[in-house]
Amino acid sequence: MTSTPVANAAMHHYWNEVSGPRWVRVQDVIDRQIAPLGERALAAAQLSPGERVLDVGCGCGQTTLRAAAHVGEAGEVLGIDLSAPMLARARERAREMGVTNVRFEQADAQTASLPQHFDVLFSRFGVMFFDAPEAAFTNLRRALRSGGRLAFVCWQALTRNPWMLVPLTAVAPLVPLPAPPPPGAPGPFGFADAARVTRILEEAGFVDVGVESVEETLLVGPPDVNDAARFLVAMGPAAAALADAALTPEKQSQVEQAVRQAIEPYLTPDGVRMPSASWIVTALSPQE
Ligand SMILES: C[S@@+](CC[C@H](N)C(=O)[O-])C[C@H]1O[C@@H](n2cnc3c(N)ncnc32)[C@H](O)[C@@H]1O
């Protein structure tokens, strides 16, 4: 499989050098947090034994491995991602679990030359980072057989996601944060506008586009509230700005304390539970 390295260069750098290595370190915590949303998207994908699935932006592979269990030994799942460290973790997990019907490839979903035989395209939060989403989804649609299915989950707007908004609001008075990106810019909230997502998919040649709102309370970060605050500082939407700010240890501890106070109202016996809102998006490749 080949892909042109020119597209999505900033994301290639970000997911290989900045966020990917951090993500690998806390992969188990992230997986626990967003697993319920991946399961909702997998249910929407309606996988059957024997099917061939492409997991787009598969990261450390949790959903790739779950999809592999759904399609069984007669089926196969290919996970593609920009991030070498995340793919290394995904391959390691497949080996540890003895799963043989998955493969992982480093590729840019927007430009990769993909086999054109998949029954299903799937993604958990891996399709909002393309610099040219219409081109990316056109490329992906070509990898689907006639009548094949698309199912993915993406975040709604930041204001609809207290689990990210609350820590960000707590940090804002302490550290200068960059202006929010323009609507639709590549990033976690790039697909917040459901009408725009529908238009992108239709322009890419998909039909029967459906968008369902899912509001789910997520178990955020590790169970201990102090650890959860540290997790949100390291991985939340302010993480890049905080890393760039090179905080003194005293300021770092002020930031963590502010986030801890902000999330404390959400503490339950199981850990911090906070509301989230995402879209489950489904579509079909036209029948030829
Ligand atoms: C938010 S993470 C989600 C990872 C994984 N799907 C999960 O749920 O754990 C987004 C992933 O999309 C990948 N990604 C971003 N742009 C991509 C592109 N153009 N092609 C392939 N993967 C991409 C990133 O490297 C990253 O692993």
Side-chain angles (χ1 to χ4, degrees), residues 123-193:
S123 185
R124 182 179 78 177
F125 302 119
V127 291
M128 309 89 85
F129 304 94
F130 305 131
D131 58 16
E134 290 85 353
F137 275 98
T138 301
N139 190 43
L140 289 168
R141 199 229 339 119
R142 291 195 184 116
L144 267 186
R145 67 164 171 78
S146 154
R149 314 187 295 286
L150 168 72
F152 65 81
V153 57
C154 59
W155 297 116
Q156 295 189 31
L158 175 64
T159 48
R160 301 263 299 129
N161 277 284
W163 79 272
M164 288 189 267
L165 181 64
V166 167
L168 191 66
T169 308
V171 167
L174 297 170
V175 181
L177 297 175
F189 306 106
F191 273 13
D193 178 350

Side-chain angles (χ1 to χ4, degrees), residues 233-286:
V233 169
M235 299 301 295
L242 291 170
D244 288 348
L247 304 181
T248 61
E250 193 189 354
K251 193 76 170 180
Q252 175 79 18
S253 130
Q254 275 177 20
V255 164
E256 287 172 7
Q257 177 69 6
V259 172
R260 196 187 77 90
Q261 272 173 12
I263 63 175
E264 209 151 25
Y266 300 92
L267 189 56
T268 73
D270 301 333
V272 178
R273 283 191 180 275
M274 300 181 78
S276 78
S278 45
W279 303 119
I280 302 274
V281 180
T282 51
L284 296 176
S285 161

